[in-house]
Amino acid sequence: MSFEDELAEALRRTGEGFAADPGALAEAGRARGRRLVARRRAAVAGGSVAALVLIATAAYSGGLFGDLYAEGAVRVAAPAPAPPSNGRRTGTGAVTADQMIAKMQALLPGGRITAPTARGTEDELGPRVGVVFDDGKGPAAVSLGLQRVDPFGSGARAQTECEDKNLHSYDDCRVEQLPDGSRLLLHQGYEYPDRREDTKVWRAVLVTVKGFLVDASEWNAAADKGAPVSRTDPPLTIEQLKGLVTSDTWHAALNDLPAAEPEPAPRPESIALRDRKAVDALDQLMRRLGITVPIVSRGGQGGYGYVVLDDGKGRSLVQINVQSAASPLGFARNPAVTTEPDGTEVKETAGPGEKNEGVTQWKVDTLRGDGLRVLITAFNTADQNGPATRPAPALTMKQLRQLALAPEWKLTTPTPAPTD
């Protein structure tokens, strides 16, 4: 399981302990979960979570991740954070909870609305509104939240990017660039990625050049979790959902919120990951080690990457995570850990996958003395949320170990850039 999936799984287990409805508690949990996932994605995209530079030895003249000190790479300074508007951390309350409900009612098509809940702009959790909407075809939860973000930051970008369909099951996803420069995500997926229930969730997320973020979701049930499916699809078409988030009805509330602080510029160490990703390094290492199993698809961001292999016996997913460990991660306290001559700790595990019966995962997790962690995981399926496609992963445990322990992975401390 990837680091991102581990986070999502923890959030899922926590959320399933509640009977969620469109109320404030459920929405607060969802909002926090989305923010955490967005931060994780943004960190992976920018490489800041790793705070590392991965470079090659002489085997690769250009290095696995390119030149750290490429022109312009180290002279980027982080802008000074701007204080919230007027020193405020919340809005003034110019738009109340009742007004949020009225705005939602005015934008929804004809139907019956029940169980409305909302927060106004003065709330520390930010303005939101949730209702149960029934157009005569079955009750459905509809929820919308507002916040201010840095429109040019990695967090905003992560909110408006489609997930990798090799790793997350959904029916459709697209990103639109609107004429005014706003980015719009339109996503049609499922509340449970493994499809153990048929609860659908359709979502629209708008990020404008002013930093307005409008995030709306709808379900084909009266609640996101704990309620039976009441209809085939959520009530609003994807175009109606788009109209809901792009309406200027929400501008009064958004303008009442303090502007977001600009995100700091990427650390010089992470800029090298912008053009060269862990998946590129994995591809290169496989070829150097003589692993010739064909790659049929690949992807990832920054320190996370994956390839899907197919040797003619079924597809197999191989994931890589590379990060600078903040702690020893408990390796030394685990009796299954072995130590290499250079002090690198290695933990090998082989067992069932965590999402579907019949899925097997083989894992080699390594921690080096300088704090660099390299984790390689292989599955006997091309999709962790899908069924097994072969008896065992396409790569052997020995090959996974070679990839994780390759000498090309190094954590270095960059030399300070010269000043003018």
Side-chain angles (χ1 to χ4, degrees):
M1 178 180 287
S2 71
F3 294 162
E4 185 172 356
D5 282 343
E6 289 173 359
L7 173 61
E9 181 68 7
L11 293 170
R12 180 187 66 76
R13 290 172 180 168
T14 301
E16 287 182 349
F18 300 89
D21 60 20
L25 179 59
E27 179 60 24
R30 280 194 299 272
R32 176 170 171 77
R34 286 169 183 160
R35 284 194 297 269
L36 288 173
V37 171
R39 288 172 187 164
R40 170 62 185 161
R41 289 175 181 165
V44 172
S48 58
V49 70
L52 55 83
V53 181
L54 295 169
I55 61 172
T57 59
Y60 300 105
S61 60
L64 290 176
F65 286 86
D67 183 3
L68 169 64
Y69 292 118
E71 183 177 355
V74 299
R75 295 178 182 265
V76 179
S85 299
N86 300 322
R88 292 186 281 110
R89 301 185 65 85
T90 64
T92 66
V95 177
T96 66
D98 287 343
Q99 289 173 322
M100 289 290 294
I101 294 172
K103 291 175 184 292
M104 175 71 88
Q105 289 176 321
L107 290 174
L108 290 176
R112 180 170 175 260
I113 290 176
T114 58
T117 60
R119 297 191 298 261
T121 55
E122 81 291 346
D123 196 290
E124 290 187 357
L125 294 176
R128 66 155 305 274
V129 56
V131 300
V132 175
F133 174 69
D134 192 344
D135 57 0
K137 300 178 182 179
V142 182
S143 178
L144 180 142
L146 307 174
Q147 60 178 297
R148 297 287 295 270
V149 297
D150 176 359
F152 308 109
S154 57
R157 184 174 61 252
Q159 290 273 21
T160 53
E161 289 182 340
C162 291
E163 297 172 315
D164 193 320
K165 205 167 186 178
N166 285 294
L167 305 177
H168 303 276
S169 175
Y170 56 83
D171 291 332
D172 190 46
C173 182
R174 71 178 190 265
V175 177
E176 297 181 4
Q177 188 86 24
L178 302 185
D180 65 356
S182 301
R183 281 174 58 87
L184 175 69
L185 172 77
L186 298 171
H187 186 278
Q188 294 172 276
Y190 298 85
E191 183 65 29
Y192 300 96
D194 58 8
R195 303 286 297 278
R196 63 184 181 275
E197 293 185 15
D198 292 327
T199 308
K200 295 180 180 179
V201 55
W202 292 0
R203 187 177 177 213
V205 181
L206 175 75
V207 175
T208 75
V209 293
K210 292 182 178 180
F212 293 170
L213 189 149
V214 185
D215 184 349
S217 297
E218 57 170 341
W219 292 261
N220 62 335
D224 62 341
K225 295 181 177 69
V229 168
S230 57
R231 51 193 297 143
T232 303
D233 292 323
L236 305 182
T237 66
I238 206 68
E239 287 301 316
Q240 288 174 316
L241 196 60
K242 174 180 176 179
L244 184 64
V245 298
T246 56
S247 171
D248 59 9
T249 297
W250 309 111
H251 288 187
L254 289 161
N255 280 317
D256 189 46
L257 300 178
E261 296 180 358
E263 290 185 17
R267 292 181 56 168
E269 298 96 322
S270 70
I271 291 177
L273 301 180
R274 180 176 297 167
D275 299 318
R276 301 302 300 276
K277 304 174 183 178
V279 65
D280 298 320
L282 177 61
D283 190 349
Q284 289 185 25
L285 286 173
M286 287 177 61
R287 286 188 273 111
R288 182 182 72 77
L289 294 170
I291 301 174
T292 58
V293 183
I295 297 175
V296 295
S297 65
R298 46 173 276 164
Q301 296 174 311
Y304 166 75
Y306 77 89
V307 293
V308 176
L309 308 177
D310 192 349
D311 56 2
K313 302 175 182 178
R315 296 192 172 192
S316 177
L317 172 68
V318 178
Q319 296 178 333
I320 181 169
N321 284 280
V322 184
Q323 73 167 180
S324 175
S327 67
L329 303 173
F331 273 32
R333 296 186 295 274
N334 193 315
V337 171
T338 60
T339 303
E340 295 291 291
D342 66 356
T344 299
E345 296 177 342
V346 183
K347 179 183 176 184
E348 297 182 6
T349 56
E354 301 179 22
K355 297 191 176 183
N356 275 329
E357 186 176 353
V359 172
T360 297
Q361 65 175 1
W362 293 351
K363 183 184 297 186
V364 176
D365 202 349
T366 65
L367 180 63
R368 308 190 185 200
D370 59 4
L372 179 66
R373 186 186 185 190
V374 180
L375 169 63
I376 305 283
T377 310
F379 301 84
N380 63 334
T381 178
D383 179 357
Q384 294 181 74
N385 296 310
T389 54
R390 52 187 297 134
L395 300 186
T396 66
M397 188 70 81
K398 179 180 178 181
Q399 289 172 321
L400 298 180
R401 186 183 181 98
Q402 288 177 312
L403 289 169
L405 292 173
E408 282 81 4
W409 302 112
K410 287 188 176 182
L411 176 64
T412 65
T413 302
T415 303
T419 58
D420 292 331

